[in-house]
Amino acid sequence: MHVVGNKLNIKSTVVKNICCIGAGYVGGPTMAVIAKHCPEIQVNVVDLNKNRINSWNDINLNNLPIFEPGLDLIIKEVRGKNLHFSTDVKDSVIQADLIFIAVNTPTKSKGIGAGQASDLRWIEGCVREISEYAQGHTIVVEKSTLPVRTAEVIEKILNTKSKNDDKTFSILSNPEFLSEGTAIDDLENPNRVLIGGEDELAIKTLYDIYAKWVNKEKIICTNIWSSELSKLTANAFLAQRISSINAISALCEKTGADINEVTNAVGKDERIGEKFLKSGPGFGGSCFKKDILNLVYLCNYFNLPEVADYWMNIINLNHWQQKRISKLIIEKLFGTVTGKKIAILGFSFKANTNDTRESPAIQICKDLLDEGAKLAIHDPRVSQKNIEFELGIKSKNIDESDSRIKGDSLTQEIYFYWCENIKDSVNGADAVVILTEWNEYKNLKPNLFNTNMRKPAWIFDCRDVLNNFQVDKNTINYWRVGKG
Ligand code: UDX
Ligand code: UDX
């Protein structure tokens, strides 16, 4: 453990007011859990996006901008008491003893490092605002995943400005390891909390906040660079497991092995472990790809091209897995999907979230649309608008006549059908493609497919959710990832 960890018997500063900049998938749930466990602290979550803040303040808890199991109950308990959502960055920063930065850090789209490095313009913008408005001593905590040594940049901006007045700052790194869909449980019972920094008093102050509900043994203190690199490394390792198992899934399909039997046998080795070995259409989410690209950029920057290539291949394999699935669907449907209705079940990047960032469904749907397929998309939580945004095309609501689409409905216009229920999506379809492991899809009855699809039909179970599934083998073909 870093030396600071041994000195945690020092007295911490009393925190009365916390500000979090960024009310997204990380900032919102994390602050809700902190507010729940620290009723004596006022927590202000601020965001530039007014609509998002309005949704956080919506009386109807179904309208929260983020769907996370258990989040609504906590919001109900603490919102308006010690948890507040607003767009007032200035006032919230003025009041804060401790500020979390939880804004998004997308991959740069142009300039040096385009396609790999993180775009830090929002981080820099926030830091400049903090340096302008903060008062007295403020602890600034990086919550966003950042390239290693970003804390140095933050420190430079804050300390240059504050030389001329009586403001002082301590910078900490406190990466978030929550996983969407289980965010509340991950925050309530984390495997570990990581705090990186040099200022012992600041570390102890943040440590004491987490220690209100997290077992002290699980709070790890490191130097700031180790903390930043640990987050990238953890995500890279997790993504690597998925690419590894997806690579083997393709081999299983060729050889007659069954991926479930292989993962069961392999995962029983305690050194390997059973978690994160589920093959599927490839990993999505806002973190894995971005963090690996960051790692690749860092390795190239420090002239380690072999290491950069090693990690880059994890992403390449993930892309290949998505492409091979769309190619396979087209091949199985007699080499053409033009004008055919294909039901897409699931659009979020995993179950129990409405998040679609980097979802494998995006690439697979785009490939099928390019080939002229008519997609009928269903997802229990993702909005019609969000799917339109991700695919860059408009949708039509499916109605009775549409749901009887036949193979001859050729048209030049590109759109997809938005389906509020599963039956509308499957009705008259030549193929069903399951892309997210939602519970709703696990118990679908064979009859839904046997009676409603156009024959011969295909079911592509890319998440292997339809366990022991019996369909009429004479008219319906069933493919599942890692088995063929
Ligand atoms: C998180 C992490 O913070 C990021 O590092 C990680 O790699 C991806 O996940 P997340 O909470 O998922 O980000 O992002 P998002 O849901 O996009 O929320 C970020 C919020 O910050 C947005 O609501 C955005 O409006 C807000 N924002 C952004 C600001 O308030 N100010 C800014 O200057 C920039
Ligand atoms: C991830 C990390 O788990 C979390 O610690 C970090 O803070 C943010 O990034 P998240 O992206 O929310 O969390 O979800 P995760 O459960 O890791 O899933 C990522 C992707 O991998 C999803 O598309 C999921 O479907 C896929 N996945 C996961 C698999 O294909 N197989 C698996 O066995 C596990």
Side-chain angles (χ1 to χ4, degrees):
M1 190 190 274
H2 184 53
V3 63
V4 179
N6 298 326
K7 294 190 180 172
L8 286 172
N9 50 0
I10 57 171
K11 208 166 174 298
S12 64
T13 313
V14 176
V15 173
K16 291 192 184 129
N17 194 297
I18 288 178
C19 166
C20 173
I21 309 181
Y25 284 87
V26 169
T30 310
M31 293 307 116
V33 171
I34 289 183
K36 175 184 158 193
H37 290 285
C38 307
E40 70 288 2
I41 300 178
Q42 287 297 315
V43 181
N44 293 308
V45 188
V46 292
D47 201 294
L48 287 178
N49 184 335
K50 199 163 180 358
N51 288 339
R52 206 164 211 187
I53 290 298
N54 288 343
S55 305
W56 278 113
N57 285 323
D58 202 302
I59 299 170
N60 181 350
L61 292 172
N62 287 327
N63 294 337
L64 294 179
I66 287 167
F67 171 71
E68 272 296 339
L71 176 65
D72 50 351
L73 291 182
I74 301 181
I75 295 290
K76 192 172 165 201
E77 186 185 329
V78 292
R79 192 177 61 188
K81 289 184 184 144
N82 67 327
L83 178 68
H84 314 276
F85 293 94
S86 83
T87 51
D88 192 350
V89 179
K90 180 179 171 186
D91 203 46
S92 303
V93 168
I94 289 174
Q95 292 175 44
D97 311 305
L98 190 149
I99 301 174
F100 286 97
I101 304 180
V103 298
N104 42 334
T105 49
T107 305
K108 275 180 90 169
S109 56
K110 51 185 180 192
I112 298 169
Q116 289 186 349
S118 275
D119 191 338
L120 295 180
R121 80 177 95 164
W122 291 284
I123 294 283
E124 187 179 333
C126 292
V127 174
R128 288 189 188 278
E129 280 187 300
I130 294 171
S131 79
E132 176 109 21
Y133 303 128
Q135 296 188 349
H137 184 70
T138 312
I139 300 173
V140 177
V141 185
E142 303 173 342
K143 199 66 174 149
S144 304
T145 312
L146 296 166
V148 181
R149 304 201 81 95
T150 306
E152 215 165 38
V153 178
I154 297 181
E155 186 150 29
K156 265 193 193 132
I157 300 174
L158 290 176
N159 288 335
T160 313
K161 188 110 201 300
S162 69
K163 265 185 198 146
N164 307 321
D165 43 42
D166 57 1
K167 304 174 188 193
T168 50
F169 297 96
S170 297
I171 291 101
L172 298 178
S173 157
N174 173 221
E176 188 48 70
F177 293 103
L178 67 79
S179 169
E180 286 175 34
T182 53
I184 299 303
D185 199 39
D186 294 344
L187 286 161
E188 294 275 11
N189 308 295
N191 286 171
R192 78 307 209 180
V193 167
L194 184 54
I195 303 176
E198 306 304 320
D199 176 354
E200 288 169 16
L201 189 60
I203 293 176
K204 179 66 165 69
T205 302
L206 187 57
Y207 177 99
D208 281 350
I209 290 176
Y210 283 111
K212 293 254 164 67
W213 77 95
V214 178
N215 185 331
K216 292 183 176 167
E217 306 294 309
K218 291 187 173 174
I219 309 178
I220 305 171
C221 302
T222 67
N223 81 35
I224 204 153
W225 324 125
S226 304
S227 169
E228 289 180 341
L229 188 57
S230 301
K231 172 69 192 266
L232 295 187
T233 307
N235 274 345
F237 271 50
L238 290 170
Q240 180 211 44
R241 279 175 78 93
I242 302 170
S243 278
S244 298
I245 207 65
N246 283 341
I248 299 300
S249 76
L251 194 57
C252 284
E253 289 162 29
K254 298 274 185 209
T255 56
D258 181 330
I259 195 71
N260 288 344
E261 293 175 358
V262 174
T263 46
N264 183 40
V266 171
K268 284 281 184 286
D269 185 326
E270 283 178 6
R271 294 167 303 174
I272 296 171
E274 293 174 341
K275 292 186 180 158
F276 254 75
L277 279 186
K278 187 97 180 89
S279 63
F283 58 76
S286 70
C287 286
F288 284 175
K289 186 174 169 195
K290 177 168 70 69
D291 290 356
I292 294 178
L293 286 173
N294 244 311
L295 206 54
V296 169
Y297 180 73
L298 204 67
C299 296
N300 280 325
Y301 181 83
F302 288 108
N303 199 22
L304 297 168
E306 291 80 3
V307 186
D309 286 352
Y310 172 77
W311 289 111
M312 194 62 208
N313 271 325
I314 309 299
I315 295 181
N316 293 342
L317 199 290
N318 194 51
H319 184 65
W320 176 79
Q321 178 81 347
Q322 295 169 8
K323 295 296 271 185
R324 93 175 174 88
I325 287 177
S326 40
K327 228 167 106 188
L328 184 137
I329 295 169
I330 296 161
E331 271 167 25
K332 300 278 189 202
L333 293 179
F334 310 115
T336 175
V337 292
T338 309
K340 290 180 180 166
K341 180 181 176 188
I342 299 184
I344 302 290
L345 299 188
F347 199 86
S348 57
F349 80 99
K350 61 186 279 195
N352 293 322
T353 176
N354 59 347
D355 195 351
T356 57
R357 289 177 289 180
E358 300 292 340
S359 175
I362 301 170
Q363 182 66 53
I364 294 171
C365 287
K366 282 186 172 170
D367 288 348
L368 296 174
L369 286 164
D370 277 352
E371 293 288 328
K374 297 282 171 233
L375 302 185
I377 306 179
H378 172 270
D379 188 288
R381 290 282 169 184
V382 179
S383 69
Q384 184 171 5
K385 234 169 120 184
N386 197 355
I387 301 176
E388 287 182 345
F389 170 79
E390 293 288 14
L391 296 180
I393 54 171
K394 287 276 169 211
S395 63
K396 286 188 179 176
N397 284 347
I398 203 148
D399 60 25
E400 259 308 291
S401 54
D402 295 328
S403 59
R404 288 195 302 271
I405 297 173
K406 295 278 186 274
D408 51 6
S409 64
L410 287 171
T411 139
Q412 293 303 308
E413 198 189 348
I414 299 184
Y415 56 87
F416 69 91
Y417 288 104
W418 159 252
C419 302
E420 252 177 88
N421 64 63
I422 301 171
K423 191 164 176 232
D424 282 349
S425 169
V426 171
N427 219 359
D430 290 273
V432 168
V433 185
I434 301 176
L435 291 178
T436 314
E437 70 283 22
W438 285 102
N439 268 338
E440 282 87 337
Y441 304 148
K442 292 184 181 164
N443 302 316
L444 290 176
K445 300 273 177 298
N447 215 24
L448 172 76
F449 307 104
N450 289 338
T451 52
N452 294 308
M453 295 180 73
R454 189 171 84 141
K455 314 292 177 333
W458 276 90
I459 297 173
F460 299 95
D461 187 357
C462 303
R463 294 281 188 175
D464 184 23
V465 290
L466 301 172
N467 275 331
N468 303 318
F469 193 67
Q470 298 296 324
V471 280
D472 178 354
K473 290 204 177 89
N474 294 322
T475 55
I476 298 194
N477 303 286
Y478 179 53
W479 177 94
R480 83 165 154 81
V481 66
K483 178 113 194 285

